[in-house]
Amino acid sequence: MEISSLEESRREAIFQARVDAEEKIEPKDWMPEAYRKNLIRQISQHGHSEVVGQLPEGNWITRAPTLRRKAVLLAKVQDEAGHGLYLYSATETLGIAREELMEQLLTGKAKYASIFNYPTLSWADVGAIGWLVDGAAIVNQISLCRTSYGPYARAMVRICKEESFHMRQGYEIMTVLARGSQEQKAMAQDALNRWWWPTLMMFGPHDADSAHSGSSMKWKIKRQSNDELRQKFVDQSVAQAQHLNLKIPDEKLKWNDERGHYDFGEIDWDEFTAVLGGAGPCNHERLEARRIAHEQGDWVRDAMFAHAEKQRQRDVRKTA
Amino acid sequence: MKNSVTCAPQSWHFEYVLRLGDNALILGQRISEWCGHSPFVEEDVAMANTALDHIGRARMLLTHAGNLQGNKQTEDDLAYSRNEREFKNFLLCELPIGDFAYTIVRQVLLDTYHFHLYAALQKSSDDTLAAIAAKVVKESTYHLRHSSEWLIRLGDGTEESQRRAQLALDNQWRFTSEFFLADEVDDVAHQAGVGVDVSLLEKLWRDNVNDILSAACLLRPEDAPLRASGRMGLHTEHMGFLLAEMQSVQRAYPGLDW
Amino acid sequence: MNKHLPLWEVFLRSRRGLEHKHVGSLHAADPEQAMQYARDVYTRRMEGCSIWVVLANDIHASQEAEGEAFFDPAEDKVYRHASFYDVPDDLKL
């Protein structure tokens, strides 16, 4: 007992030294169990967010108003599936199987970004999601390119490279609407009104109230705090909204010379907690869609498995 | 050119390319419905690729059709401003996606058709069409590989997957007769060197499909030609809903940029 | 259904003249399907001109615990590097 716990703390010291020296932790390395669990939670949640994130925008693929927009939206939603896969792939290096990840999502044990529990009600929402939601995701993900776990960092680098077009296509949609008819302008403003606050919530609770932040920062899983990243996002968004001639729905939004940042109003944390807890407009629908896809895939996966098995046996017979 | 031809030279050419474009558009529209709902994430990505290829070729073909017609109709005018009767796609393209077996069967039937069609169209005397065909045939080669292997997995998988695949085939087979009902447009296009020989296409298609079905342990249904044709603008009851959805934004706010 | 489809590791050659490089993994029932999904997932932006897929179970990896025995003995063999040798600066060697 004594020896093994000594060994454990020796390993932990080596591990922490490696993290402190900005060396990456790789799959076969020894790592504290809590680090592994924390990573599985965060990376799989990130992966689930990409996969569930297909749904709100996917809702508009069949209704995209031009063929160019349809192709772009398809490519974007496809990227989200691809990014989900990169992240599942990174999670699986930590010793958890895909089936288990799926089960955690479908039973509600694993979370996904709460933003996807809001509905997409007009074409402008597709623009607003690209501009704001992907904009916020990029702020967060750029920071995560320096995360301490190698496979996660590499997935983030690839995702950031690919996602740069996501925000731009969203902003382009908003630009066209903001320059368009009165109805289109109103549509764009309405989308901004509805997506602004949920987007700010994406960065999570204030640093002081964040349950996982302490150890995540120490282990360099997270590199910047929720509040820092949120501030960065607000600062970059103000000019973008002004350029569109749209108004961010926050009366308290104001430049603070002293801080060198924008001040902004308080998030409705009750709403945050409620939507996280399942009371958002689409929580049920999003999970249900994934559950149905998964269940209706059961017989397909069974068939793949059965066919592969038959093939193997044929090969064995052939070589025998 | 035959004397019996009643359509003006440009109008058969437009019609020929429009039909190709409509098949690509309506099929792409259907496949895109799988986004986010496939059996697993890998297939979501694969399905989106196929949908994108179809939307891409629809854009090229409709743009080309608009140019042939000479009245400056864009790809979007053609996609979003026409009514049901003006769409000339095969009925098979517009059927709802059904279960995964239903989609895979449709893909096999149409991928095989498109593969042989566009292989032949590479030699079209219409240079634009030939160039489009050269690009499309590569995509269709890949699509057919993907869908035919899937069909073999399903047909030679479990009892349930075989039952579903056979049911999907039995249900959709009757729609394939439409592929080879050559009409005036096909004849004129073929004679002008723009279009393909439909009877030759039919033979290639039948041989290829037979091989795939037997590898997939599926029975080829009896031929039972339908007395309906999407190419005449007479559609199934599903088409109205498909268009209502696809065109909804453009119809609600006509004449705007998006 | 609780069967696990096998996990495959994917390697891409990004262009001719370069080696294949590991890019990620995916699940598929057979090599052909793994190859197609690798194409669909990992080459959406022309990232590759050649793909390898390998069953993850078939990869044997060195262990961290063996690291010292495996890799440290190379540390003192600096004479394997060209920079170890003194040669006249004005000569091209």
Side-chain angles (χ1 to χ4, degrees):
Chain A
M1 265 318 259
E2 186 73 352
I3 291 174
S4 74
S5 80
L6 256 174
E7 176 62 16
E8 182 94 354
S9 56
R10 189 187 71 91
R11 284 171 150 181
E12 191 146 357
I14 296 175
F15 167 85
Q16 190 61 49
R18 197 173 257 168
V19 169
D20 292 341
E22 297 286 330
E23 268 186 59
K24 298 293 180 209
I25 304 300
E26 294 293 346
K28 301 273 173 187
D29 293 348
W30 182 90
M31 58 187 84
E33 208 35 48
Y35 176 81
R36 182 188 302 276
K37 281 206 182 116
N38 194 323
L39 274 176
I40 289 177
R41 185 187 54 77
Q42 180 169 335
I43 311 176
S44 69
Q45 178 174 326
H46 199 158
H48 294 323
S49 301
E50 298 278 358
V51 169
V52 175
Q54 291 181 90
L55 300 170
E57 285 170 287
N59 184 31
W60 281 88
I61 292 173
T62 56
R63 291 178 291 168
T66 71
L67 295 184
R68 175 174 176 268
R69 295 275 178 226
K70 191 190 287 288
V72 169
L73 187 55
L74 252 170
K76 178 182 188 264
V77 173
Q78 180 191 43
D79 269 355
E80 271 144 29
H83 297 170
L85 203 85
Y86 302 165
L87 289 160
Y88 285 158
S89 163
T91 318
E92 285 182 273
T93 62
L94 292 159
I96 183 166
R98 175 82 68 84
E99 276 298 316
E100 217 175 319
L101 293 173
M102 288 297 107
E103 196 188 297
Q104 290 183 351
L105 171 67
L106 299 177
T107 55
K109 194 179 158 215
K111 298 274 182 241
Y112 55 88
S114 225
I115 189 86
F116 300 120
N117 291 318
Y118 290 87
T120 49
L121 301 178
S122 79
W123 173 250
D125 288 22
V126 175
I129 289 180
W131 170 33
L132 299 173
V133 177
D134 288 291
I138 290 170
V139 168
N140 188 30
Q141 288 170 172
I142 285 179
S143 171
L144 285 171
C145 289
R146 296 190 298 124
T147 189
S148 59
Y149 188 58
Y152 192 24
R154 291 191 286 276
M156 279 298 110
V157 170
R158 184 174 299 122
I159 288 172
C160 282
K161 235 190 264 172
E162 298 187 352
E163 280 203 350
S164 56
F165 106 77
H166 293 188
M167 185 183 173
R168 294 175 77 119
Q169 65 86 35
Y171 195 74
E172 191 192 78
I173 290 174
M174 295 304 275
T175 312
V176 174
L177 295 177
R179 277 200 220 119
S181 72
Q182 278 310 315
E183 288 157 313
Q184 286 175 310
K185 265 180 227 166
M187 203 186 271
Q189 182 63 54
D190 175 57
L192 172 57
N193 293 347
R194 282 181 290 110
W195 289 96
W196 177 255
W197 290 106
T199 303
L200 292 194
M201 294 176 197
M202 282 172 71
F203 296 96
H206 283 311
D207 298 345
D209 311 321
S210 179
H212 302 283
S213 274
S215 46
S216 285
M217 296 293 270
K218 177 181 140 214
W219 287 327
K220 302 196 181 199
I221 295 176
K222 278 173 73 165
R223 303 306 306 255
Q224 282 170 290
S225 77
N226 295 352
D227 285 328
E228 274 176 90
L229 293 167
R230 184 164 23 234
Q231 182 71 57
K232 202 169 164 203
F233 172 76
V234 171
D235 289 346
Q236 76 176 34
S237 299
V238 173
Q240 293 163 0
Q242 277 166 355
H243 183 81
L244 294 170
N245 257 326
L246 296 178
K247 190 177 175 309
I248 290 175
D250 180 356
E251 294 305 331
K252 299 209 171 102
L253 187 71
K254 206 174 140 229
W255 177 254
N256 182 327
D257 233 356
E258 210 170 297
R259 291 203 308 127
H261 292 290
Y262 281 93
D263 291 335
F264 53 98
E266 191 53 71
I267 288 168
D268 179 351
W269 293 108
D270 288 342
E271 175 173 333
F272 174 79
T273 315
V275 175
L276 200 64
C282 299
N283 295 59
H284 179 79
E285 285 73 9
R286 300 299 184 231
L287 260 195
E288 189 67 0
R290 289 313 303 167
R291 196 186 56 72
I292 289 172
H294 191 72
E295 273 178 13
Q296 293 185 344
D298 274 352
W299 69 267
V300 179
R301 285 185 296 272
D302 280 341
M304 288 163 72
F305 207 82
H307 180 73
E309 195 48 41
K310 283 183 191 175
Q311 287 290 79
R312 248 190 302 280
Q313 283 173 10
R314 279 176 205 138
D315 289 346
V316 169
R317 245 173 283 142
K318 243 184 270 166
T319 50
Chain B
M1 218 173 276
K2 272 197 260 177
N3 290 334
S4 61
V5 172
T6 49
C7 35
Q10 271 164 359
S11 98
W12 62 259
H13 199 162
F14 166 74
E15 188 75 16
Y16 191 82
V17 177
L18 184 74
R19 288 173 178 182
L20 301 177
D22 283 349
N23 279 338
L25 175 62
I26 302 303
L27 185 58
Q29 173 80 0
R30 280 301 189 206
I31 302 168
S32 74
E33 291 177 29
W34 278 102
C35 270
H37 304 279
S38 299
F40 43 95
V41 189
E42 281 85 347
E43 190 58 32
D44 269 327
V45 181
M47 225 31 129
N49 263 351
T50 309
L52 270 172
D53 285 342
H54 283 89
I55 298 301
R57 65 176 77 160
R59 296 184 62 192
M60 292 186 289
L61 290 162
L62 292 179
T63 300
H64 183 41
N67 290 338
L68 285 169
Q69 206 189 21
N71 66 357
K72 301 205 171 80
Q73 289 210 78
T74 64
E75 58 182 49
D76 289 330
D77 294 332
L78 289 169
Y80 292 97
S81 306
R82 279 182 299 153
N83 290 320
E84 186 175 333
R85 291 293 289 269
E86 297 165 284
F87 276 83
K88 304 298 172 65
N89 54 283
F90 291 145
L91 299 177
L92 187 58
C93 299
E94 72 200 42
L95 301 178
I97 57 176
D99 66 3
F100 191 70
Y102 199 86
T103 283
I104 290 299
V105 165
R106 165 164 51 195
Q107 287 309 114
V108 167
L109 298 174
L110 281 161
D111 290 342
T112 314
Y113 174 82
H114 284 136
F115 171 74
H116 292 291
L117 170 73
Y118 284 103
L121 282 176
Q122 291 180 95
K123 297 195 194 82
S124 171
S125 61
D126 172 344
D127 290 342
T128 307
L129 186 55
I132 294 172
K135 179 178 186 300
V136 167
V137 75
K138 288 185 210 160
E139 299 166 355
S140 288
T141 305
Y142 186 83
H143 296 165
L144 180 57
R145 188 169 155 179
H146 184 77
S147 62
S148 63
E149 274 165 15
W150 257 124
L151 191 62
I152 291 167
R153 278 185 207 106
L154 299 183
D156 187 26
T158 62
E159 242 173 73
E160 176 169 21
S161 68
Q162 211 221 7
R163 181 184 63 76
R164 286 176 183 261
Q166 186 66 55
L167 189 70
L169 182 65
D170 293 346
N171 194 306
Q172 292 177 85
W173 186 257
R174 62 208 151 104
F175 292 98
T176 60
S177 59
E178 193 187 359
F179 297 178
F180 309 110
L181 286 177
D183 65 3
E184 198 175 46
V185 171
D186 293 297
D187 290 343
V188 180
H190 175 47
Q191 283 155 22
V194 169
V196 302
D197 178 346
V198 174
S199 56
L200 193 66
L201 186 61
E202 176 166 16
K203 193 190 167 323
L204 292 168
W205 181 84
R206 282 190 180 272
D207 289 349
N208 203 340
V209 166
N210 282 345
D211 288 348
I212 296 169
L213 294 184
S214 76
C217 312
L218 296 172
L219 296 173
R220 200 189 71 188
E222 291 293 316
D223 286 332
L226 274 188
R227 302 189 67 82
S229 169
R231 300 195 318 162
M232 303 291 123
L234 294 169
H235 292 274
T236 64
E237 291 179 346
H238 306 293
M239 186 64 171
F241 292 100
L242 182 149
L243 291 182
E245 184 174 348
M246 184 173 84
Q247 299 176 337
S248 59
V249 177
Q250 287 271 9
R251 297 284 189 189
Y253 308 95
L256 300 179
D257 286 333
W258 297 94
Chain C
M1 134 110 200
N2 276 309
K3 290 172 199 152
H4 293 218
L5 287 169
L7 183 70
W8 303 75
E9 299 295 337
V10 181
F11 300 80
L12 284 186
R13 182 199 296 291
S14 58
R15 61 184 161 83
R16 292 182 167 279
L18 296 181
E19 63 277 67
H20 286 77
K21 213 172 135 187
H22 182 246
V23 290
S25 65
L26 51 80
H27 289 269
D30 50 62
E32 174 60 33
Q33 191 177 42
M35 190 65 86
Q36 287 178 19
Y37 285 148
R39 177 263 195 192
D40 287 327
V41 174
Y42 290 104
T43 68
R44 300 198 303 287
R45 290 174 172 79
M46 301 179 290
E47 292 94 334
C49 61
S50 164
I51 302 173
W52 288 350
V53 287
V54 183
L55 270 176
N57 277 341
D58 287 345
I59 293 180
H60 297 268
S62 62
Q63 301 298 310
E64 191 200 16
E66 305 161 343
E68 292 180 4
F70 262 57
F71 307 114
D72 290 358
E75 273 173 14
D76 63 353
K77 301 184 177 59
V78 284
Y79 41 79
R80 283 176 172 141
H81 298 275
S83 54
F84 178 72
Y85 301 93
D86 279 332
V87 291
D89 287 344
D90 49 349
L91 272 183
K92 255 198 142 166
L93 270 179

